[in-house]
Structure formats: C-alpha cells, structure tokens
Amino acid sequence: MTEHRTVYTHGHQEAVLRSHRSRTAANSAAYLLPELRPGQALLDVGCGPGTITADLAELVGPTGRVVAVDTSAEVLAQAAAHVAGRGLDNVVFEVGDAHQLNYGEGEFDVIHAHQTLQHVADPVAVLRELRRVLAPGGVLAARDADYAAMTWYPELPELTAWLELYRSTARANGGEPDAGRRLLAWAQAAGFTEVAAGSSSWTFATPGERLWWGESWAERVRGSGLAATALEHGLADAAELAAIAEGWQRWTVQPDGWFAVLHGEVLARG
C-alpha cells in the first residue's frame, strides 16, 4: 500500500488558528448552503477550530449529525469547545487521515472540505475515498485557495518574495498551493460524474482588514509551520523571513492597501 503523507504547511500556532476562527459558513461555504437541510449526515474533513463546522451543524440539526475530522487532536479539542459553547450536541470530533477513513460506504449525505485538498499528499486519492463514503445522491463540496492567483497592491517586493516562499514550502511538504484551479480536474479524475465548478474570493481592503490579514501573515512568517519548513529545507534564512514579515507590516499601514484571495469551488456528485 502506498504511504500517503500529509503535512499541514501552516501549522497550528495561534496566529494561524486566529485567522481560521474568522471563517464561517457564510464567508467560506456559501456555495454549499443551498444543498443543506435538517436531518442530513455531514462529514467535515479538515475542520480546524470548528467555526464552519458549528454553522453546518446548526443547518443540518437538530436531527442531522456531523462528523468532524482533522489530523490534530489539539485543534479538535478547541473545535469541540467552540461547538459546545454554541450549545450544539450533534457533532462528533475524530482524529483521522482523509486518505483512509474509518467510515462505511455511503455513510454521509454531504461532505465538506475547506482548504484541505491543497495540503494532502494525493488529492485525487482523497477525493476517491470521500466518494466512497458519500451516499448515492449526496454532494461533496470542496473549496481551496489558489496562491498563484492571489493579488495585491501596493506591489511590495517582500510580498512577492512571500508568495514564492509559500508556494515552494507547500510543495516541499508534498502539497499543491495552487489547488483552486485544479479542483475540477481532481474531482473528475476521482470519478465524480457531475461536477459544478465555480469560484469566490476574500478581499482585505479596509484598515481593520489590512491590519488583521497582514499581522497574521507577519506572525506566521516569523514563527509557524511555514517558517520551520522554510528554514529546514533551506528555502529562506532567518534574515529573509524577517524581511518578509516587515514587508507585511508595512503593507498593513498602506492607505491604498488591497489584497484578494481567489478560491476554487466544486460541488461534485456521482
């Protein structure tokens, strides 16, 4: 059997999780919401700190159930606390690898994977496994950023260096940072017969948004899984990381600063 390797490039440091906690079903899974109804069984793959998970659980509840899977027991504990704080009791959290899930064929009506496929060793194999546990007539929803399509202003050289570094680091970890554009091809290769592809974006352009987004990335560049892998593989040294972080901080105070993140999306059946 082929051994699959999944390395989460960002890591689970506080700067990363703080960013992920801002995600909701409305701002990160709007394309899926028309497919949801009470009573469905939903699998959330790569659930992170659980903010989207909680929203999805409310939408399929009270009779529906959610199984939320992540590779990190620590982040699952945080997700469970968040869901409990919302008063929800229809979510189960489990450590797991999406390449090989411990669920039966056709067990879930809905499968949701947000920013997950870009980090797995074999996204087509993962999609085949998700297809296995998807019920006939069910829907898989996947959404991933596309780093090469990200764009910003002013065009600071440090942010260009950041993008090059991130893409190199993600690939050193066995992932594909430009996943958004590949979701349609991956779903088709996995055997889905009906795939609707689309896109959406996040934009950071107000002073508050710039500060939040730029400071988050400055912290990640200084000390996260991204920084550790970059140093380990010789993709950057400490001085280069510090320069990139300083560039992000300069961007946060630009009155005309603007940053857009493009996401690919698919709804797949069959």
Side-chain angles (χ1 to χ4, degrees), residues 174-201:
E176 176 45 69
D178 305 338
R181 68 188 66 190
R182 292 171 164 83
L183 292 180
L184 174 59
W186 288 345
Q188 291 173 336
F192 286 95
T193 56
E194 181 184 340
V195 185
S199 64
S200 61
S201 64

Side-chain angles (χ1 to χ4, degrees), residues 7-266:
V7 177
Y8 187 49
T9 296
H10 298 288
H12 293 102
Q13 286 75 19
E14 176 56 27
V16 176
L17 295 178
R18 187 168 65 248
S19 172
H20 293 179
R21 291 187 198 107
S22 71
R23 298 173 180 176
T24 66
N27 67 29
S28 298
Y31 70 111
L32 170 61
L33 301 189
E35 305 288 337
L36 301 181
R37 63 183 184 276
Q40 290 172 318
L42 186 148
L43 176 65
D44 192 11
V45 182
C47 67
T51 50
I52 301 175
T53 310
D55 289 347
L56 299 178
E58 286 184 340
L59 291 168
V60 302
T63 56
R65 67 184 181 95
V66 174
V67 177
V69 175
D70 205 283
T71 58
S72 167
E74 180 181 355
V75 79
L76 283 175
Q78 296 183 38
H82 175 77
V83 167
R86 296 267 295 266
L88 299 167
D89 60 4
N90 61 334
V91 185
V92 174
F93 295 92
E94 298 182 349
V95 175
D97 181 353
H99 293 93
Q100 189 171 7
L101 296 167
N102 295 318
Y103 310 118
E105 293 188 9
E107 188 168 336
F108 297 97
D109 303 305
V110 181
I111 299 176
H112 172 254
H114 186 259
Q115 312 299 343
T116 298
L117 294 174
Q118 63 185 281
H119 298 292
V120 302
D122 190 338
V124 174
V126 167
L127 285 166
R128 288 195 186 107
E129 178 68 349
L130 298 180
R131 184 169 175 258
R132 181 185 69 80
V133 301
L134 184 65
V139 61
L140 175 139
R143 183 178 193 250
D144 273 275
D146 194 300
Y147 276 76
M150 294 184 186
T151 187
W152 59 84
Y153 188 85
E155 297 176 355
L156 302 181
E158 293 89 350
L159 269 64
T160 301
W162 159 79
L163 181 58
E164 294 173 355
L165 175 66
Y166 182 86
R167 294 173 76 218
S168 298
T169 303
R171 289 180 173 136
N173 279 333
E176 176 45 69
D178 305 338
R181 68 188 66 190
R182 292 171 164 83
L183 292 180
L184 174 59
W186 288 345
Q188 291 173 336
F192 286 95
T193 56
E194 181 184 340
V195 185
S199 64
S200 61
S201 64
W202 293 333
T203 302
F204 305 95
T206 68
E209 290 166 347
R210 283 193 294 269
L211 181 64
W212 178 82
W213 183 245
E215 286 290 344
S216 172
W217 274 110
E219 288 185 48
R220 296 192 216 185
V221 170
R222 289 193 191 99
S224 70
L226 169 64
T229 302
L231 292 169
E232 177 187 352
H233 289 271
L235 300 172
D237 59 29
E240 289 169 325
L241 293 177
I244 292 172
E246 191 277 332
W248 269 112
Q249 290 183 307
R250 274 196 294 119
W251 178 82
T252 67
V253 297
Q254 302 299 312
D256 54 359
W258 179 91
F259 198 107
V261 179
L262 179 70
H263 306 270
E265 301 168 344
V266 292

